[in-house]
Amino acid sequence: MQQMLKQAQKMQQQIAKAQAELAEAELTGTAGGGLVTATVAGTGELKAIKIDPKAVDPEDVETLEDLVVAAVHNAAEAARELTEKKMGPLAGGMGGLGLPGF
């Protein structure tokens, strides 16, 4: 029983460390050959959008909107992959506790 408690505490420490690393990480996604760049935290929180002035065409706002969505999607996918990389191995050690996202 004591051993299981120690393993659980170690797992909690590893999870807390992985969550802190995710919160500090910044990932980017681009669209339109770099015309639009989105930056997200490893937690998925949108931090910044950068738009190259060449992407701004008052006659074609729809394309710019699509580029922003694509860049945010790419950045969110990078954050999801990082989360899987950091948290995935930890989820395997939980014995299938049914935690969301694992």
Side-chain angles (χ1 to χ4, degrees), residues 2-81:
Q2 188 101 356
Q3 177 111 2
M4 288 178 62
L5 183 57
K6 285 182 182 181
Q7 286 177 335
Q9 288 172 337
K10 183 178 179 183
M11 183 70 63
Q12 281 182 318
Q13 290 170 346
Q14 290 172 329
I15 290 171
K17 180 181 177 192
Q19 288 173 330
E21 289 172 359
L22 288 171
E24 292 176 13
E26 286 196 353
L27 302 117
T28 59
T30 62
L35 291 175
V36 177
T37 302
T39 303
V40 298
T43 58
E45 177 187 356
L46 182 62
K47 295 292 208 172
I49 295 282
K50 297 219 186 275
I51 300 173
D52 186 307
K54 291 182 251 177
V56 181
D57 178 356
E59 301 295 316
D60 186 14
V61 174
E62 188 174 293
T63 296
L64 177 57
E65 292 169 342
D66 290 343
L67 290 174
V68 170
V69 169
V72 170
H73 175 76
N74 288 340
E77 180 64 19
R80 185 193 62 76
E81 289 172 4

